[in-house]
């Protein structure tokens, strides 16, 4: 089969959801179902279809059937938690073209790496509100650039409010899945993430059905656990190296002994999907330790798919994402983190049938 029909079928399958997500609130017909099978987590919303971490991306994800939505948390200068992929915002907002902020461009060392750009910790919330969001990967997702300039930087509180509104709209309980980004770095700047996150969780009385907290750094999760919020915690795992500021390696954390240690403070692990492909035994080992497993990050473009699932040679064309989902669902993962929640939900429906 040629690659064009496959890509076209994926796009046609999402057309109804696109119409729903772009229609005015109240005019769309949301997906109404209870999750049966692995949870589908909208990665930064529906980052495959809208600029990430925008209200439009989160709304699209839920209307497509996502069970959780994921905001990455970074602080402002006045210590308000906002949602951005990174604290450097030159690639996700229009700040580079704003002359009034030209003098804010600087170089900072974040997690041991020099980064040059504009940083949320140098802006007050009021200043960030003047910026507009843009697509982070314009060369990969050129279709999303049509939405550049239409969104604004959201606070974590606004994501919680949106999730609750979308829960009412969809008839499903939509959970927020915040990640503490660079927590050791932010503690060193006097803007710790955990204390403010705990305050927001308590103020909103978030329950275990409404919020799961994740981090790559175990020390951040230990701080959350010490607050006794009664929320599930998710230990994210890289493919190499160590969590920043920690001696333990990700490889050690994925060993049976390491998984037992994680199970003493967390209920989930979140490995890269490649870590779950045989001969790796991580999925079975984690389940044996009493942990649930959520794999990241599922995408539809060829460059992000295993070679066997690519269609054609263009890296940004869509490949056979459905087959990759079917494999991981069949292996027994408990959740998938995806830029395309609509495709993940359709693949889950196919598995159910």
């Amino acid at each position: 089969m040629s690659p064009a029909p496959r890509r076209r079928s994926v796009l046609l399958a999402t057309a109804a959801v696109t119409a729903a997500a772009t229609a005015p609130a109240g005019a769309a017909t949301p997906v109404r179902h209870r999750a049966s099978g692995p949870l589908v987590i909208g990665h930064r919303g529906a980052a495959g279809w809208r600029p990430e971490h925008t209200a439009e991306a989160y709304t699209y994800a839920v209307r497509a059937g996502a069970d959780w939505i994921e905001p990455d948390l970074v602080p402002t200068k006045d210590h308000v938690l906002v949602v951005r992929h990174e604290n450097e915002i030159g690639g996700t907002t229009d700040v580079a073209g704003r002359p009034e902020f030209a003098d804010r461009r600087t170089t900072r060392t974040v997690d041991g790496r020099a980064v040059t750009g504009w940083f949320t910790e140098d802006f007050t919330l009021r200043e960030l509100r003047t910026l507009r969001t843009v697509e982070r990967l314009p060369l990969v997702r050129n279709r999303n650039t049509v939405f550049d300039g239409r969104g604004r930087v959201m606070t974590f509180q606004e994501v919680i409010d949106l999730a609750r509104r979308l829960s009412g709209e969809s008839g499903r309980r939509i959970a927020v899945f915040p990640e503490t980004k660079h927590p050791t770095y932010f503690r060193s700047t006097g803007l710790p993430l955990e204390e403010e996150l705990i305050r927001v969780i308590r103020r909103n009385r978030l329950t275990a059905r409404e919020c799961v907290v994740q981090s790559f750094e175990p020390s951040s999760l230990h701080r959350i656990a010490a607050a006794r919020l009664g929320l599930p915690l998710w230990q994210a795992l890289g493919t190499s190296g160590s969590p920043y500021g920690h001696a333990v390696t990700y490889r050690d954390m994925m060993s049976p002994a390491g998984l037992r240690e994680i199970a003493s403070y967390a209920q989930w692990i979140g490995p890269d999907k490649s870590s779950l492909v045989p001969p790796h035994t991580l999925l079975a080992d984690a389940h044996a330790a009493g942990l649930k497993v959520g794999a990241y990050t599922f995408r539809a473009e060829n460059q992000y798919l295993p070679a066997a699932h690519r269609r054609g040679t263009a890296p940004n064309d869509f490949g056979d994402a459905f087959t990759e989902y079917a494999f991981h669902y069949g292996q027994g993962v408990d959740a998938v983190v995806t830029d395309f929640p609509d495709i993940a939900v359709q693949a889950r429906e196919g598995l159910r049938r």
Side-chain angles (χ1 to χ4, degrees), residues 101-349:
F101 296 127
D103 62 348
R104 304 286 177 93
R105 190 172 188 268
T106 187
T107 298
R108 293 187 177 278
T109 301
V110 181
D111 292 0
R113 184 171 65 92
V115 180
T116 299
W118 291 262
F119 298 84
T120 59
E121 61 267 34
D122 294 329
F123 291 77
T124 65
L125 178 61
R126 184 175 181 178
E127 290 172 326
L128 282 181
R129 292 292 203 198
T130 69
L131 303 178
R132 310 306 288 178
T133 57
V134 300
E135 169 57 39
R136 186 174 64 89
L137 301 172
L139 299 181
V140 177
R141 294 169 178 168
N142 177 261
R143 61 187 175 272
N144 289 1
T145 61
V146 71
F147 300 104
D148 285 0
R150 295 179 61 87
R152 68 174 188 172
V153 176
M154 299 180 71
T155 66
F156 180 43
Q157 180 63 56
E158 288 173 329
V159 177
I160 294 170
D161 294 341
L162 179 61
R164 285 178 163 169
R165 180 173 68 79
L166 292 171
S167 293
E169 174 189 287
S170 66
R172 300 179 289 118
R173 186 70 63 90
I174 306 303
V176 292
F177 181 45
E179 177 184 347
T180 58
K181 298 287 290 192
H182 311 300
T184 294
Y185 165 76
F186 283 118
R187 281 195 293 276
S188 74
T189 68
L191 294 169
L193 298 174
E194 294 84 5
E195 287 85 343
E196 184 60 22
L197 175 56
I198 290 166
R199 279 194 287 270
V200 174
I201 289 169
R202 284 179 170 156
R203 182 173 69 235
N204 288 274
R205 299 181 180 179
L206 294 177
T207 69
R209 294 180 61 194
E210 296 177 298
C211 183
V212 178
V213 179
Q214 65 166 322
S215 184
F216 280 89
E217 294 187 19
S219 59
S220 184
L221 293 179
H222 283 300
R223 285 173 166 79
I224 301 297
R228 301 185 181 277
L229 300 171
L231 301 181
L233 302 180
W234 172 304
Q235 176 64 63
L237 299 167
T239 56
S240 63
S242 304
Y244 182 74
H246 296 69
V248 64
T249 67
Y250 287 121
R251 180 169 181 167
D252 289 339
M253 295 173 75
M254 290 187 280
S255 70
L259 293 168
R260 289 192 295 271
E261 170 60 25
I262 292 173
S264 70
Y265 63 87
Q267 292 70 43
W268 287 82
I269 61 165
D272 183 277
K273 60 185 180 176
S274 64
S275 299
L276 301 177
V277 177
H280 297 294
T281 61
L282 177 60
L283 183 62
D285 293 342
H287 283 163
L291 291 163
K292 293 182 179 180
V293 179
Y296 73 85
T297 301
F298 289 80
R299 300 178 170 99
E301 296 94 348
N302 277 328
Q303 63 179 296
Y304 302 119
L305 290 167
H309 302 328
R310 296 169 188 168
R311 296 292 180 265
T313 58
N316 298 325
D317 278 359
F318 282 11
D320 185 6
F322 286 102
T323 298
E324 185 181 36
Y325 284 115
F327 170 78
H328 285 278
Y329 288 165
Q331 290 289 103
V333 296
D334 302 290
V336 294
V337 180
T338 174
D339 283 4
F340 297 89
D342 45 1
I343 301 175
V345 168
Q346 290 179 50
R348 184 175 65 186
E349 291 296 319

Side-chain angles (χ1 to χ4, degrees), residues 1-18:
M1 182 180 296
S2 65
R6 167 63 66 177
R7 185 181 183 188
R8 188 160 54 248
S9 68
V10 172
L11 295 173
L12 288 172
T14 61
V17 176
T18 301

